[in-house]
């Protein structure tokens, strides 16, 4: 990541909105934002496969659900935060993954410029590719600051997205079962 370029860009934005970039409160803002971007966009250079490598054999679980994985992401249309919870259900094909690894997978895709719909699909695809379950369902619910802060939508309104792969895509009864577990 080119921190100097980010700092120069932030200075231009501040000047563009008519600010005095030399006043005390703003003097270190460009550098602070550049440092923050390194953290909140760190997922751009990360591979979700790293977190889904270590699997364990497990027998007998029809559906595994990990609910309420809190995430913070940034919408690529406005560069404003959207944040909420991701819920993941999968049907193991003999292998399961540590629950914290699912949260890490969500983080990899959240920490980059994103579109919620795309992030939901990317999480599902990464789990299908690396864990190879019989099916996966990912549901994301989020509040978008670019909507709620500008008054387009009421504060607290949430956007829901769903991605289903494998057996969850083919079998609506299984999909309903997983959704029931998630919303229970
Ligand atoms: Zn937006």
């Amino acid at each position: 990541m080119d921190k100097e370029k980010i700092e120069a860009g932030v200075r231009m934005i501040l000047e563009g909105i008519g600010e005095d970039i030399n006043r005390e409160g703003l003097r270190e803002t460009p550098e602070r934002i550049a440092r923050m971007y390194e953290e909140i966009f760190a997922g751009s250079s990360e591979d979700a496969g790293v977190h889904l490598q270590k699997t364990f054999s497990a027998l007998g679980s029809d559906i595994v659900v990990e609910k309420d994985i809190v995430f913070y992401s940034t919408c690529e249309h406005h560069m404003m935060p959207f944040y909420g919870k991701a819920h993941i259900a999968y049907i193991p094909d003999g292998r399961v993954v540590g629950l914290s690894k699912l949260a890490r997978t969500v983080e990899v895709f959240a920490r980059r410029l994103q579109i919620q719909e795309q992030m939901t699909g990317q999480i599902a695809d990464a789990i299908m590719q690396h864990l190879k379950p019989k099916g996966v369902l990912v549901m994301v619910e989020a509040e978008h600051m670019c909507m709620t802060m500008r008054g387009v939508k009421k504060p607290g309104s949430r956007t829901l997205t769903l991605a289903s792969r494998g057996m969850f895509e083919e079998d609506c009864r299984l999909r309903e079962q997983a959704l029931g577990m998630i919303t229970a």
Side-chain angles (χ1 to χ4, degrees), residues 88-146:
I88 297 171
Y90 69 95
I91 303 170
D93 192 7
R95 311 288 299 174
V96 295
V97 71
L99 296 179
S100 68
K101 305 300 182 194
L102 293 176
R104 296 288 295 139
T105 302
V106 170
E107 204 163 67
V108 166
F109 293 108
R111 289 191 168 190
R112 47 178 90 175
L113 286 174
Q114 267 294 10
I115 297 171
Q116 184 179 332
E117 295 86 335
Q118 173 181 275
M119 184 180 88
T120 310
Q122 284 172 337
I123 296 166
D125 289 335
I127 292 168
M128 281 305 279
Q129 185 189 340
H130 299 288
L131 182 58
K132 298 182 172 61
K134 291 177 186 163
V136 67
L137 180 144
V138 179
M139 184 177 170
V140 175
E141 48 177 291
E143 179 172 340
H144 291 246
M145 291 302 290
C146 60

Side-chain angles (χ1 to χ4, degrees), residues 75-80 144 146-147:
C75 116
E76 69 181 27
H77 295 145
H78 303 90
M79 293 184 73
M80 291 281 281
H144 291 246
C146 60
M147 291 203 258

